[in-house]
Amino acid sequence: GAGVSQSPSNKVTEKGKDVELRCDPISGHTALYWYRQSLGQGLEFLIYFQGNSAPDKSGLPSDRFSAERTGGSVSTLTIQRTQQEDSAVYLCASSTQTGSGSEKLFFGSGTQLSVL
Amino acid sequence: QKEVEQDPGPLSVPEGAIVSLNCTYSNSAFQYFMWYRQYSRKGPELLMYTYSSGNKEDGRFTAQVDKSSKYISLFIRDSQPSDSATYLCAMFYGNNRLAFGKGNQVVVIP
């Protein structure tokens, strides 16, 4: 596609439920990132995928969060047993660079997650 | 202390005014400096990208980096209502992640 696509755009769930958020990166982009944007908190790094390398999971806030990337393309972020503090906009980004130092990220429009 | 500090206060200016935004950072390893623009309900989009100290211009936008002071700025000349958005600074030193500031919401009043 022309840009990074994320779905759903909005997700309302009840506390304790599991949710899956999907990201379809720009075709040909080898790097994929997940960020979380909370009100007044800026963007928080969650996880990074690069090709077939092991992902950098160092930003995941707890073991309730996990992500996978299938076939080097589509990625799914899963949050288990959601809590109210998980409410935020979850942004996915992709890029063509490989950590050489000049990453230019292209972001999707995000998924607004609301946990009631 | 956070790696990147950006005073998140909103900024309202009349159309045609100069908008001045800035960030400070603590990690001297940062080498790449960016400004992203984010419209409401959209993801951030890359606006400006600089590597070295000094100024970089692109149309009405100027990005300024002062590595000795660990300070970066973004100037928007002749501001337009279409410039109303949140502006986030971001920095990178090759560890696969960008460090972002909290963002400034800018409103340009016609």
Side-chain angles (χ1 to χ4, degrees), chain B residues 39-84:
Chain B
Y39 291 113
S40 180
R41 300 185 182 277
K42 297 291 186 182
E45 59 177 335
L46 183 63
L47 185 63
M48 297 286 285
Y49 177 96
T50 57
Y51 171 68
S52 58
S53 284
N55 293 350
K56 181 177 181 179
E57 282 194 20
D58 184 1
R60 297 183 294 108
F61 298 89
T62 299
Q64 195 172 77
V65 175
D66 182 347
K67 287 187 176 181
S68 62
S69 301
K70 298 189 179 68
Y71 188 91
I72 70 169
S73 300
L74 177 71
F75 301 96
I76 308 173
R77 293 183 299 280
D78 187 25
S79 56
Q80 303 296 309
S82 58
D83 295 328
S84 297

Side-chain angles (χ1 to χ4, degrees), chain A residues 9-67:
Chain A
S9 55
N10 284 282
K11 177 69 177 180
V12 179
T13 190
E14 294 178 350
K15 178 181 173 181
K17 300 283 190 183
D18 298 351
V19 295
E20 285 190 353
L21 312 179
R22 175 188 168 103
C23 173
D24 199 344
I26 293 172
S27 178
H29 280 193
T30 56
L32 186 147
Y33 302 76
W34 284 97
Y35 280 84
R36 178 167 70 175
Q37 187 173 31
S38 304
L39 195 63
Q41 294 301 313
L43 271 72
E44 175 189 4
F45 168 80
L46 297 177
I47 189 169
Y48 164 78
F49 295 90
Q50 172 56 49
N52 294 322
S53 301
D56 176 358
K57 303 179 182 180
S58 59
L60 294 178
S62 77
D63 58 8
R64 297 185 295 105
F65 288 73
S66 63

